[in-house]
Amino acid sequence: MAFHSAIAIADTSEVDAVRSSGYRKATLRILPFLFVCYFFAYLDRVNVGFAKLHMLADLQFSEAVYGLGAGIFFLGYFFFEVPSNLVMHRVGARRWIARIMVSWGLISAAMAFVTTPAMFYILRFLLGVAEAGFFPGIILYLTYWYPAERRGRIVSMFMAAIPVSGLIGSPLSGLILDTFQGVQGFAAWQWLFVVEALPSCALGVVLFFVLTDRPAQAAWLTRPEIDCIEQDLAAEAQRQDSHSAMAAATDPRIWLLSLIYFGIQMGVYGVAFWLPTIVKGSGFGSDTMVGLVTAIPYLAAALFMVAMGRSADATGKRRLHVALPILLGVVGLVGSAAFSTHTGIAITCLTFATMGTITALALFWSLPSSFLGGFAAAGGLAIINSVGNLAGFVSPYMVGLIRDATHSTNLALYVIATAVLLAGLLLVKVSPSVDH
């Protein structure tokens, strides 16, 4: 009996080693590349916040025109998100994500040639159409490789591209604005769009040859490693809803999560599209310095996000790990408005707001992916992301209108804080079954 027990222990230990090796290889192969792709996706989405520092004066645009143009991106995103994700589930991530990256890179570069509000609105809308499906497509793609108990950390590491994009992209954007003015007869903000769009096009081409759709297709995994990963995913699939996309659309849990995500995104985009303007208004002179100061909140957010992702996987308390960052975000948003005349305190509060909202955004995705699978996941994740991202339209447009009316961002920050707080309160309605 003792002999058979020892063999079982040895076999279990060997299987665990093979499983760990498989996930380690997958992470090293997939995650760094997807991280870089999302870095440039987010940079191309929000670099209009830096371009604004010069573009508005050059083109004689009002704050409201900017806010509408920044936000209209998300209308294109909204209408094409679900179809895009369903196509990806059918044709595979490699082909579809490569198409997304090349098309959004070309449209982002075309932003350099905007001359009228109408052109601004059209190109921002088309940029949303082009990018639709990228983020929920990646979240869906990760469900093909990682079960829920590993996914919180993986998604957090992937979404750390958002704060890292701010950390590196903010100083880069400021430097471009300070050094490219007048080069070849173009304004610095025009160069900003072109320089930061080209990597997306190149990465899209590379992705087509690098990405593997499913573990079974991965030549760089051994057969036992593939078997271990597929067994884990099959076991999880037994606990998931894998019905049609239409079933996901009628699931009240999907719409509750959409409202929560909307509130979180109000905070994320309220900060992302206006942080350079707020920092500039605090008395920092050069665009390079504005970029460096703007990077501080994103550095703190990157560290906080990864730490919270690890904690969520270790404890299984997923709702709590979304609620705590939301609370931090609310405190930061309110504090940045209340102490807007005290530069140091305001920047510190904006750091808290960025840490909280971006971390809540990352950890949120462990909630729907814990109970959705198959076409229900493809449709459900896309619905949540598309509805939630409408906040990307509402938030910047609202801030622009309030700034035009009051010549201050403070009232807008209070409104955004209220939306984020409501998202936190709605978490109470989420079933405890997502914690495991």
Side-chain angles (χ1 to χ4, degrees), residues 312-331:
D313 279 352
T315 64
K317 297 179 178 178
R318 305 192 185 283
R319 291 181 303 163
L320 178 64
H321 283 77
V322 178
L324 290 178
I326 282 178
L327 179 60
L328 180 63
V330 171
V331 170

Side-chain angles (χ1 to χ4, degrees), residues 241-312:
D241 299 333
S242 55
H243 306 300
S244 68
M246 183 58 69
T250 58
D251 189 334
R253 295 173 298 179
I254 296 297
W255 295 102
L256 172 62
L257 291 172
S258 296
L259 290 175
I260 294 171
Y261 195 57
F262 182 93
I264 296 171
Q265 288 283 42
M266 283 288 289
V268 170
Y269 288 115
V271 173
F273 284 119
W274 291 96
L275 185 57
T277 300
I278 295 170
V279 172
K280 184 87 169 180
S282 298
F284 294 95
S286 73
D287 294 319
T288 301
M289 184 55 67
V290 170
L292 290 171
V293 174
T294 301
I296 294 172
Y298 290 109
L299 172 60
L303 298 174
F304 186 56
M305 177 189 294
V306 173
M308 289 294 285
R310 290 181 179 275
S311 178

Side-chain angles (χ1 to χ4, degrees), residues 42-87:
Y42 200 79
L43 183 63
D44 289 342
R45 182 187 300 184
V46 303
N47 60 6
V48 69
F50 269 93
K52 169 187 182 289
L53 299 178
H54 294 266
M55 186 174 69
L56 264 63
D58 287 355
L59 302 180
Q60 299 298 301
F61 288 176
S62 69
E63 299 281 355
V65 167
Y66 164 73
L68 178 57
I72 207 169
F73 165 95
F74 295 96
L75 293 184
Y77 206 77
F78 172 78
F79 288 116
F80 289 88
E81 186 89 325
V82 174
S84 179
N85 229 35
L86 295 177
V87 170

Side-chain angles (χ1 to χ4, degrees), residues 2 13 76 88 147 230 235 271 304 401-402:
S13 176
M88 195 200 89
E230 291 190 331
V271 173
F304 186 56
L401 290 173
I402 292 175

Side-chain angles (χ1 to χ4, degrees), residues 316-381:
K317 297 179 178 178
R318 305 192 185 283
R319 291 181 303 163
L320 178 64
H321 283 77
V322 178
L324 290 178
I326 282 178
L327 179 60
L328 180 63
V330 171
V331 170
L333 287 163
V334 171
S336 62
F339 297 98
S340 60
T341 57
H342 300 79
T343 301
I345 299 177
I347 296 299
T348 300
C349 289
L350 283 171
T351 299
F352 290 150
T354 307
M355 290 169 62
T357 55
I358 290 180
T359 299
L361 185 75
L363 296 181
F364 167 87
W365 288 105
S366 64
L367 305 181
S369 60
S370 68
F371 64 85
L372 291 173
F375 272 103
L381 295 177

Side-chain angles (χ1 to χ4, degrees), residues 20-167:
S20 297
S21 173
Y23 284 120
R24 183 171 59 253
K25 286 182 182 179
T27 300
L28 291 174
R29 175 85 176 203
I30 295 169
L31 200 60
F33 189 76
L34 293 181
F35 180 95
V36 173
C37 290
Y38 195 39
F39 172 95
F40 284 105
Y42 200 79
L43 183 63
D44 289 342
R45 182 187 300 184
V46 303
N47 60 6
V48 69
F50 269 93
K52 169 187 182 289
L53 299 178
H54 294 266
M55 186 174 69
L56 264 63
D58 287 355
L59 302 180
Q60 299 298 301
F61 288 176
S62 69
E63 299 281 355
V65 167
Y66 164 73
L68 178 57
I72 207 169
F73 165 95
F74 295 96
L75 293 184
Y77 206 77
F78 172 78
F79 288 116
F80 289 88
E81 186 89 325
V82 174
S84 179
N85 229 35
L86 295 177
V87 170
M88 195 200 89
H89 189 64
R90 287 189 179 276
V91 306
R94 181 173 61 92
R95 292 183 179 88
W96 197 243
I97 296 175
R99 191 283 305 164
I100 288 173
M101 292 192 66
V102 172
S103 59
W104 99 50
L106 293 173
I107 295 171
S108 184
M111 287 287 297
F113 304 102
V114 165
T115 56
T116 67
M119 289 180 64
F120 184 42
Y121 300 152
I122 290 169
L123 283 175
R124 287 290 296 178
F125 179 82
L126 291 177
L127 187 63
V129 172
E131 195 186 323
F134 176 78
F135 175 76
I138 296 298
I139 298 299
L140 178 64
Y141 178 71
L142 293 175
T143 68
Y144 300 158
W145 290 85
Y146 300 96
E149 62 267 20
R150 295 176 181 268
R151 207 178 300 134
R153 181 175 70 256
I154 295 298
V155 171
S156 293
M157 292 168 67
F158 164 66
M159 291 191 67
I162 295 178
V164 171
S165 181
L167 174 64

